[in-house]
Amino acid sequence: MYETLCSPITLGNVTLKNRLIFAPTTMGLSDEDYFKKIEDIAAGGCSMIIIGDVPVLPARFGHSLYSKKGFAYYQKLAETVHRHDCLICAQLHQTDTNLKGMIKYIPGVLTKKISQQELRPLLNAQVAPYISGLPVKKVKKITAAFGTAAVLAKKAGFDMVQVHGDRMCGSFSSAVFNHRTDCYGGSAENRFRFAVEAVSAIRSQLADFPIDFKLAVRQENPHYGNAGVLDTELPLFVPMLEAAGVTSFHVTLANHSSLEDTIPGAKHPYFSEEGCFLKFCDQVCKYTKLPICGVGGLVHPDFIEQQLADGRIQCAAMSRQLIADPQWMNKVAAGETGKIRRCVRCNKRCLGGMMAHQGVHCIYDNRLSGTNA
Ligand SMILES: Cc1cc2nc3c(=O)[nH]c(=O)nc-3n(C[C@H](O)[C@H](O)[C@H](O)COP(=O)(O)O)c2cc1C
Ligand code: SF4
């Protein structure tokens, strides 16, 4: 019944056993809880897990591919996922937060005078000056690091890398944030140079490795997202990325307004529908024949099968639905869709848990029943 969803697909030179991918999801959990959650998702039948926000530069905090301990962490993650016949992809990420500019807010955050919701716009306000003033030497160091990080990710056991096309790539691409007057700013071609150099750096080091690109599209009328590219810029951007070595695209709304826009709840004024960002896939596919993965509020097997069978997308990615029920794919393949715990897009304990520094959970956690809400 779910023939397309259950069928394999080749991205670059790797074959996924079916069309369901776990979207990049930072969880804010302890290592032990995170490994358990990722293992549950791998065991639940999806074909690939994208590990969110793997830093491209050596990082003092969190897990770094460059340190012995961090490398061993990612190696263990890859082994854990592979044990369940599931592939693993590293989302290579460079923040566009000006860490030095953040220091002045730390006392306010620690004393809770500034909430997470209040902090975000304060940080967003610094993106344009930070991106516009970054020295060229530093820019080149970052784009080259995408290549180094990809080599390390491959060594650690990752099957693919995804370039996080939002964050620094997205801010450089966006005329809203990028006010540079050198070869990285001004014309669209110049603004896209950062993303293209990042992809080229990977391709020059790894001739055959699959490179996915998280393509963040900014919408006008009504305006949503500040990073990323406009749909009118896609005819230039997509072929440039493909020529640089991208082998598949993961398409979504651009970031830097509210997180509730890129992770929309069921009551979102504009993106409440299932498959709310697929219209951006419809735009991207005009300019490439490469496989495209859709994401955003995907929940129901019948709806997803239809989008895949119609050729609108070649893969479907889910974050919250697999947090709500890691066994989604196994239940679909077994014809037990009635047993799926459906994500109701309440954002209460996943995004809500992350914002409250409690880590990602779900309203279904601790429930014994395996049926719908
Ligand atoms: C808790 C949480 C953390 C996320 N972390 C990341 C991340 O690290 N990188 C990223 O590109 N997207 C991240 N996302 C966005 C998801 O990949 C996805 O695009 C979004 O949640 C919409 O898909 P969904 O409706 O299936 O949840 C995160 C989403 C959630 C809910
Ligand atoms: S808390 Fe709500 S939105 Fe988040 S995964 Fe669970 S059901 Fe979905």
Side-chain angles (χ1 to χ4, degrees):
M1 179 160 182
Y2 298 105
E3 266 174 39
T4 325
L5 193 41
C6 294
S7 66
I9 184 166
T10 300
L11 304 182
N13 64 357
V14 297
T15 300
L16 279 63
K17 65 183 174 185
N18 60 49
R19 307 300 181 94
L20 185 69
I21 294 172
F22 181 55
T25 306
T26 301
M27 295 198 192
L29 295 170
S30 68
D31 286 1
E32 193 188 346
D33 288 349
Y34 181 65
F35 271 87
K36 177 156 184 353
K37 192 84 96 187
I38 290 292
E39 179 149 26
D40 282 351
I41 292 167
C46 66
S47 57
M48 183 164 72
I49 289 180
I50 305 175
I51 300 297
D53 288 357
V54 177
V56 298
L57 285 169
R60 238 182 292 157
F61 305 107
H63 301 287
S64 169
L65 281 164
Y66 294 81
S67 74
K68 210 170 157 190
K69 199 170 156 206
F71 187 82
Y73 167 90
Y74 287 117
Q75 252 182 334
K76 189 174 158 199
L77 205 51
E79 282 161 17
T80 305
V81 169
H82 285 156
R83 267 205 300 279
H84 298 279
D85 188 24
C86 185
L87 301 180
I88 184 164
C89 170
Q91 182 186 54
L92 301 181
H93 162 262
Q94 173 61 31
T95 181
D96 53 7
T97 298
N98 179 5
L99 297 174
K100 279 190 193 144
M102 221 178 117
I103 292 169
K104 63 181 174 211
Y105 300 124
I106 292 176
V109 172
L110 291 177
T111 54
K112 301 210 164 116
K113 282 186 186 145
I114 302 175
S115 69
Q116 285 299 314
Q117 276 82 355
E118 287 163 339
L119 182 63
R120 185 155 287 278
L122 294 172
L123 297 182
N124 285 348
Q126 294 192 31
V127 174
Y130 180 54
I131 291 299
S132 305
L134 210 59
V136 169
K137 207 170 151 197
K138 175 88 182 168
V139 175
K140 294 219 175 282
K141 187 177 164 197
I142 295 169
T143 54
F146 276 85
T148 318
V151 170
L152 290 169
K154 184 171 184 247
K155 268 193 199 142
F158 284 92
D159 305 287
M160 189 185 294
V161 287
Q162 178 185 76
V163 172
H164 198 329
D166 216 322
R167 298 299 162 196
M168 193 169 272
C169 279
S171 297
F172 262 87
S173 305
S174 163
V176 175
F177 288 134
N178 183 341
H179 305 148
R180 300 176 73 99
T181 51
D182 60 6
C183 66
Y184 289 99
S187 69
E189 202 166 354
N190 280 356
R191 281 184 277 115
F192 303 158
R193 193 178 305 280
F194 181 97
V196 169
E197 271 185 21
V199 174
S200 305
I202 302 170
R203 185 51 75 228
S204 67
Q205 301 243 26
L206 300 168
D208 300 322
F209 206 55
I211 306 174
D212 190 48
F213 190 89
K214 178 164 173 170
L215 179 40
V217 184
R218 183 156 39 97
Q219 173 176 300
E220 298 300 351
N221 303 320
H223 174 87
Y224 279 106
N226 287 318
V229 300
L230 292 168
D231 57 358
T232 51
E233 296 174 322
L234 291 170
L236 181 64
F237 195 40
V238 172
M240 277 174 84
L241 291 170
E242 192 171 336
V246 164
T247 47
S248 56
F249 289 99
H250 182 109
V251 180
T252 187
L253 175 73
N255 214 323
H256 282 304
S257 25
S258 161
L259 276 181
E260 292 272 359
D261 293 335
T262 45
I263 309 171
K267 292 188 182 142
H268 191 281
Y270 200 81
F271 297 115
S272 60
E273 298 288 312
E274 176 151 20
C276 52
F277 302 141
L278 294 184
K279 59 181 184 170
F280 301 129
C281 300
D282 299 338
Q283 297 290 322
V284 174
C285 78
K286 289 183 195 163
Y287 310 109
T288 182
K289 296 264 177 293
L290 292 175
I292 294 177
C293 181
V295 68
L298 296 174
V299 171
H300 291 93
D302 289 1
F303 176 82
I304 297 169
E305 173 65 20
Q306 196 62 54
Q307 311 311 308
L308 290 164
D310 290 349
R312 196 176 180 196
I313 47 175
Q314 284 65 54
C315 294
M318 294 173 172
S319 171
R320 290 168 293 176
Q321 177 57 69
L322 290 189
I323 293 168
D325 191 347
Q327 285 289 328
W328 190 93
M329 191 65 215
N330 283 345
K331 288 177 184 173
V332 167
E336 295 178 337
T337 52
K339 291 188 181 170
I340 290 173
R341 291 190 299 258
R342 295 244 159 86
C343 169
V344 292
R345 285 184 279 145
C346 63
N347 276 347
K348 279 187 185 157
R349 294 200 62 204
C350 49
L351 181 57
M354 197 170 70
M355 295 304 280
H357 295 295
Q358 291 164 351
V360 168
H361 299 279
C362 177
I363 50 167
Y364 290 112
D365 289 0
N366 308 324
R367 276 202 201 176
L368 295 175
S369 147
T371 50
N372 291 340

